Amino acid sequence: MQIIDGKGLSQTIKNEIALKVKEIKNKGQKTPHLAAVLVGNDGASETYVANKVKSCHEVGFKSSLIRLGADITEQELLAEINILNNDDEIDGFIVQLPLPKHINEQRIVQTINPEKDVDGFHPVNVGKMVKGLPTFLPATPFGIMTMLERYKIETQGKHCVVIGRSDIVGTPMSILMSRKNNPGNCTVTLCHSATKDLKKETLRADIIIAALGYPEFLTADMVKNDVVIIDVGISRVKDETKKSGYTLKGDVKFDEVSKKASFITPVPGGVGPMTVVSLLQNTLLAHANKKII
Ligand code: GUN
């Protein structure tokens, strides 16, 4: 069994990005600049956005954090997005999800200029991804594809089971894994809450991408030997022994599933850091695209 070290790999890629940023600066070009919009003060979102900002600084990007109150109106948030759309200094930006219930997430995402949509959530960019055109891939799927590529994990002809059909992870993952590409070229089964016999599906899988957000859901009896496990889950589970009061759990019961797996991502230190580094890669792409235009 080999652990896929997302933390280490993300550091390697950050070093590569930092070198590119140095070159950009040496040529006298504008420094890449990522902005993040954070609405309200959800604990997990705070942590994710703080990580994104910190990573920007590590590679030499500029970053801006726009904090808005949980009671902001949809109109006010749309106005903020239009400011970012029209600000030439900003290469790309994200609006951290989830948003408060009174705000229509789809409307917000559709207002972001697709050329600055480094999350790859805008329908124009989703459409380009589906058609295999160059675009911003959503950060988590992009990070997973990078892990499979850099660890040289064979995917062609394999049976990949994706658990969870979210817009952010499950659905794009199922599309990317089925494309005629490397990584990719899999036969894909997308499982979700209406799947009749999930265990029957996971037992047939060569590769499992667990993205349902249910801590320690996938157990050893649900997988076959030598399976490749990508664990996207990152749930906060109450733990009185921790200073923070919680511990992070993936969607996979790591201790038992790892004994049967050929490759497995840990939580934390697997998919999470790769998501952040993919966002940086997309920002670099947005910066380069703008230069050409
Ligand atoms: N919430 C959970 N994952 C993500 C992500 O990749 N981007 C944004 N904007 N919000 C998220």
Side-chain angles (χ1 to χ4, degrees), residues 88-211:
D88 278 344
E89 166 58 25
I90 306 288
D91 296 293
F93 67 97
I94 63 150
V95 178
Q96 187 67 28
L97 304 178
L99 290 169
K101 294 260 180 301
H102 66 278
I103 295 177
N104 181 333
E105 245 172 48
Q106 292 297 341
R107 192 169 300 142
I108 298 303
V109 166
Q110 289 180 34
T111 304
I112 298 172
N113 175 354
E115 288 170 16
K116 292 191 175 189
D117 168 39
V118 285
D119 256 332
F121 292 169
H122 191 284
V124 165
N125 290 325
V126 176
K128 286 184 177 175
M129 177 195 68
V130 171
K131 292 187 75 72
L133 299 170
T135 188
F136 304 114
L137 296 181
T140 302
F142 186 8
I144 293 170
M145 297 307 273
T146 306
M147 286 198 290
L148 294 171
E149 183 190 353
R150 299 261 183 144
Y151 273 80
K152 297 190 167 50
I153 293 172
E154 183 62 69
T155 58
Q156 170 156 291
K158 304 286 183 190
H159 182 206
C160 174
V161 168
V162 180
I163 315 174
R165 58 179 155 188
S166 72
D167 281 355
I168 295 181
V169 185
T171 297
M173 213 54 241
S174 69
I175 292 164
L176 292 170
M177 291 302 276
S178 65
R179 298 200 64 80
K180 196 169 182 180
N181 256 337
N182 184 24
N185 229 358
C186 288
T187 302
V188 176
T189 304
L190 179 56
C191 297
H192 45 71
S193 51
T195 298
K196 286 246 164 61
D197 188 347
L198 183 67
K199 186 172 168 181
K200 187 173 137 216
E201 304 299 338
T202 54
L203 277 171
R204 292 194 305 130
D206 302 307
I207 301 167
I208 298 177
I209 300 170

Side-chain angles (χ1 to χ4, degrees), residues 10-136:
S10 72
Q11 191 55 56
T12 303
I13 298 175
K14 274 187 203 166
N15 294 344
E16 293 168 9
I17 295 173
L19 278 179
K20 288 183 188 157
V21 175
K22 262 199 189 133
E23 280 171 27
I24 288 169
K25 289 183 182 174
N26 285 343
K27 284 192 223 155
Q29 292 171 6
K30 170 190 167 314
T31 302
H33 190 162
L34 173 71
V37 179
L38 177 59
V39 181
N41 44 20
D42 171 73
S45 292
E46 292 263 3
T47 307
Y48 297 148
V49 170
N51 266 332
K52 291 171 186 179
V53 169
K54 183 168 147 259
S55 299
C56 279
H57 294 152
E58 281 170 20
V59 299
F61 284 5
K62 281 191 191 168
S63 73
S64 299
L65 172 57
I66 296 116
R67 283 180 159 278
L68 302 168
D71 56 354
I72 190 169
T73 66
E74 192 174 295
Q75 284 310 314
E76 286 168 331
L77 180 54
L78 289 170
E80 290 289 343
I81 289 169
N82 277 317
I83 291 171
L84 293 168
N85 279 343
N86 293 311
D87 184 346
D88 278 344
E89 166 58 25
I90 306 288
D91 296 293
F93 67 97
I94 63 150
V95 178
Q96 187 67 28
L97 304 178
L99 290 169
K101 294 260 180 301
H102 66 278
I103 295 177
N104 181 333
E105 245 172 48
Q106 292 297 341
R107 192 169 300 142
I108 298 303
V109 166
Q110 289 180 34
T111 304
I112 298 172
N113 175 354
E115 288 170 16
K116 292 191 175 189
D117 168 39
V118 285
D119 256 332
F121 292 169
H122 191 284
V124 165
N125 290 325
V126 176
K128 286 184 177 175
M129 177 195 68
V130 171
K131 292 187 75 72
L133 299 170
T135 188
F136 304 114

